[in-house]
Amino acid sequence: MTTGSVAAGDSRVGCPARHTTPPSVDPVEDLSTEAVKFITAYYRERQIPNVADRISGVLNEIATTGTYWQTRNELTYGAKVAWRQSVRCIGRVRWAGLKVRDRRTVTTIDGIASELTEHLRIADNGGRIQSVITVFAPDHPLAGPRARVWNDQLIRYCGWQLDGRVLGDPAQVDMTDAALRLGWRPPAVPGRFDLLPWVIETVTEDPTLVDVPRELVREVALTHPRHAWFADLRLRWHALPVIANMRLRIGGVDYSCAPFNGHYLADEIGTRNMGDVDRYNQLRAVAAGLGLDTRDESTLWREHAALVINQAVLHSFQAAGVRISDPHAESDLFMRFCAAEERAGRPVYGDWSWINGSVGWAALHAVHHRYYDTRVPNPNFWPGARTPYSPEPSLRERHYLANRQEG
Ligand code: ARG
């Protein structure tokens, strides 16, 4: 999808297509209805006998407790299907290989922090990134989340607001402020790639800062195979994208704390994180290195610069032995996923504007040349209950209020 509104020079917004996609609505139904649908689908797909017994057990449990506890196998299946139905993800051919860590009984901030640390270790896997999800306690049916991580990802770089400009990642200015307000002691000298601490909150403990275990954060310095000057830009990125603020919904049950990761597509780093004017905004710097004429958009200097950054990302990650995908391989794999889903008699759900890369020559890839089912069924991943920085009541306050109303 092409960029929609393009204003003059660098004031244009990055990839508006993603923001203009109509928001999907979580098709929430009555808990029993969703539970029965999910259990039925699970037993059918895995050809497990005696579904009626499990359904009556679940319905009884809902009648007496207001919710039900999914078995470890149900949770594992549900998390995998949530990935399989994630309309924005092009890497879904790997859905069955998701490593699901059932940590529903870990409820303290200390416990959660050490499980997040273990998540990083397992997912990193020496650079051969594995797809992992760690699922913490389900939300309370009335009072909501029992734990949450404020950070949108487990590994993120600070955004420092300095007189009129931002040093680091502008997308993280609010999170950086939130950490500072909670008393985080920042590095003595702010840099472009300072790691943000985690902020973890539970119903019994206030939002707490936890330093990211730096030794587990693999990073790759960006160099270009043919342009030696590229290294002088001193760009880098982390190896692991671990989404931490989405709500996993399975069979009517919400898991607001369930961080998950795949591995990067070059485009995400090279085009968006480095290229977007409201992120690291590096197109002009790269164009300067290439000696391009940036006065005239029709020279396509932006596309040229973005291509060179994408090459640098692929080259640097490959040289460092860190798993990364290029758009051609990923498009082919996604076509295989589509074929497998259709063979299994399932629709291929997808959001075209996300499935297609943002490099500008998406028509070179097969994913560009078909449409996808635009519905978004559950199990799936949804935006978290509230943004980490909004001035809503803390989890503690919410649970206090909910319980008071109950009693
Ligand atoms: N686009 C996000 C980022 O650049 C990561 C989203 C998840 N990506 C993934 N390959 N699993 O950090």
Side-chain angles (χ1 to χ4, degrees):
M1 189 154 289
T2 53
T3 48
S5 54
V6 177
D10 281 346
S11 61
R12 65 182 212 158
V13 282
C15 194
R18 300 200 178 189
H19 308 299
T20 54
T21 304
S24 326
V25 177
D26 182 350
V28 174
E29 294 174 278
D30 163 66
L31 171 58
S32 301
T33 309
E34 276 194 56
V36 170
K37 260 192 202 168
F38 168 69
I39 300 290
T40 307
Y42 169 52
Y43 275 64
R44 191 187 307 125
E45 189 174 326
R46 292 284 159 89
Q47 302 179 352
I48 307 170
N50 304 330
V51 66
D53 292 349
R54 177 58 180 146
I55 286 178
S56 65
V58 165
L59 292 178
N60 271 328
E61 196 177 334
I62 293 175
T64 49
T65 69
T67 185
Y68 70 107
W69 189 262
Q70 289 162 346
T71 65
R72 184 173 283 236
N73 287 340
E74 288 163 0
L75 178 70
T76 301
Y77 167 80
K80 289 178 178 182
V81 173
W83 184 10
R84 187 172 81 197
Q85 303 189 144
S86 285
V87 295
R88 295 167 166 187
C89 178
I90 194 176
R92 285 180 273 160
V93 73
R94 306 174 180 86
W95 68 271
L98 178 66
K99 203 175 174 62
V100 182
R101 304 177 66 235
D102 176 4
R103 294 297 183 274
R104 286 174 292 172
T105 57
V106 177
T107 53
T108 63
I109 287 177
D110 266 3
I112 291 170
S114 47
E115 290 300 340
L116 296 181
T117 300
E118 192 55 18
H119 183 127
L120 293 188
R121 192 193 316 279
I122 296 170
D124 177 75
N125 192 31
R128 298 174 301 282
I129 313 294
Q130 309 192 83
S131 302
V132 178
I133 184 167
T134 302
V135 185
F136 294 100
D139 294 9
H140 184 282
L142 293 172
R146 292 179 215 256
R148 55 176 302 150
V149 172
W150 284 17
N151 313 62
D152 63 342
Q153 291 191 30
L154 292 187
I155 302 170
R156 278 303 200 198
Y157 299 121
C158 296
W160 303 109
Q161 190 89 62
L162 311 172
D163 41 66
R165 67 191 183 96
V166 174
L167 180 70
D169 192 344
Q172 298 297 324
V173 164
D174 289 347
M175 184 63 210
T176 307
D177 284 348
L180 292 172
R181 277 199 306 274
L182 286 170
W184 181 52
R185 298 243 307 272
V189 184
R192 283 193 299 172
F193 300 100
D194 299 330
L195 292 177
L196 272 165
W198 294 331
V199 176
I200 309 173
E201 181 191 11
T202 72
V203 287
T204 52
E205 294 165 280
D206 285 327
T208 300
L209 291 159
V210 178
D211 277 330
V212 177
R214 162 165 290 286
E215 68 286 0
L216 293 179
V217 178
R218 188 180 298 278
E219 296 180 277
V220 178
L222 302 185
T223 60
H224 191 280
R226 285 176 307 284
H227 300 298
W229 52 264
F230 197 98
D232 300 334
L233 297 170
R234 304 223 167 275
L235 301 175
R236 57 199 293 125
W237 204 252
H238 51 88
L240 260 190
V242 192
I243 308 287
N245 66 348
M246 290 186 84
R247 167 172 59 90
L248 166 64
R249 186 172 178 87
I250 300 173
V253 176
D254 285 316
Y255 296 93
S256 284
C257 194
F260 62 88
N261 75 278
H263 65 267
Y264 267 116
L265 199 60
D267 196 33
E268 302 181 86
I269 304 171
T271 312
R272 308 301 313 284
N273 301 351
M274 290 299 155
D276 278 4
V277 295
D278 52 3
R279 299 294 301 287
Y280 279 79
N281 193 19
Q282 291 297 307
L283 296 185
R284 239 172 235 289
V286 173
L290 291 165
L292 303 179
D293 176 2
T294 58
R295 288 167 307 185
D296 179 0
E297 290 296 342
S298 75
T299 62
L300 303 187
W301 65 268
R302 288 183 196 273
E303 285 80 352
H304 189 159
L307 168 67
V308 168
I309 309 177
N310 272 266
Q311 290 171 332
V313 169
L314 284 164
H315 164 79
S316 313
F317 272 62
Q318 286 163 358
V322 178
R323 197 166 181 197
I324 184 101
S325 282
D326 73 75
H328 294 281
E330 219 49 39
S331 171
D332 290 350
L333 287 169
F334 193 71
M335 287 299 109
R336 279 203 233 166
F337 169 72
C338 295
E341 288 305 286
E342 279 157 3
R343 263 198 315 277
R346 295 187 289 258
V348 181
Y349 304 105
D351 179 334
W352 195 97
S353 77
W354 277 72
I355 298 299
N356 278 274
S358 29
V359 202
W361 39 87
L364 297 182
H365 313 133
V367 290
H368 182 90
H369 300 282
R370 58 160 289 167
Y371 285 110
Y372 306 99
D373 191 319
T374 55
R375 290 171 298 176
V376 187
N378 276 315
N380 222 305
F381 295 99
W382 299 95
R386 68 179 174 100
T387 68
Y389 332 109
S390 66
E392 282 184 39
S394 72
L395 289 187
R396 282 175 87 157
E397 289 169 274
R398 283 179 54 177
H399 275 255
Y400 170 75
L401 292 171
N403 291 329
R404 201 180 50 172
Q405 278 149 17
E406 266 176 84

